[in-house]
Every structure is written in structure tokens, then in C-alpha cells.
Amino acid sequence: MRKAFRGTFIVAGGYDREDGNNAVAENRADLVAYGRVFLANPDLPKRFALNAPLNKYNRETFYIIPDPVLGYTDYPFLEDTE
């Protein structure tokens, strides 16, 4: 893809901290998107910086529940879990 596309290249889908760092370091991407992982970890940059454990996301709460807040604002921050 890098040969075909010369602009900023963003990858997504199943990357963890190490995979994302490697993708950028190996010039396979300029940026890494962390959708589901970021939903479950509102402080994801801090968790990555500290190499802290991540909350697991609950796919059952994505988009289809009657309460649009559940699953988007109820995951604990790192300091709430210590």
C-alpha cells in the first residue's frame, strides 16, 4: 500500500500497543487507529505510556442497546481501578 499511496497512511483493526508501535516504526503506517480499545479505555494514551493493563470492551454494548450511554461512558479510568 505504501508504494501505491503517498499520503498519510492510517491502519486500524486489532492492533495492540506493541503492534501499533511496530507498524509505525517499520514504516507500514503513519498512524494507528484504536477504535474498540479506545472505547473501553478512555485514558488509552496514559495506559499505553505506562504499559498498564487494558479494560476489555463489551461488543454487546456497541450501537444496538436502548441506552446510548451504556458502553461508551461507563468504562473505568486507570486511577479508578487501582
Side-chain angles (χ1 to χ4, degrees), residues 1-2 5 10-11 15 17 19 24 29 33-34 38-39 42 45 53 59-61 65-67 80 82:
M1 289 300 294
R2 290 299 240 167
F5 183 73
I10 304 171
V11 295
Y15 286 84
R17 178 181 179 269
D19 294 334
V24 173
Y34 297 95
F38 221 133
L39 281 176
R59 192 179 297 266
E60 293 179 13
T61 63
I65 58 172
D67 183 350
D80 296 339
E82 297 178 305

Side-chain angles (χ1 to χ4, degrees), residues 17-18 21 41-54 77-82:
R17 178 181 179 269
E18 183 178 356
N21 285 341
N41 297 277
D43 53 356
L44 187 64
K46 179 179 181 179
R47 288 174 186 262
F48 276 4
L50 298 173
N51 202 22
L54 302 178
F77 285 81
L78 186 58
E79 54 271 359
D80 296 339
T81 62
E82 297 178 305

Side-chain angles (χ1 to χ4, degrees), residues 39 42 68-77:
L39 281 176
V69 176
L70 182 67
Y72 290 93
T73 62
D74 58 342
Y75 287 100
F77 285 81

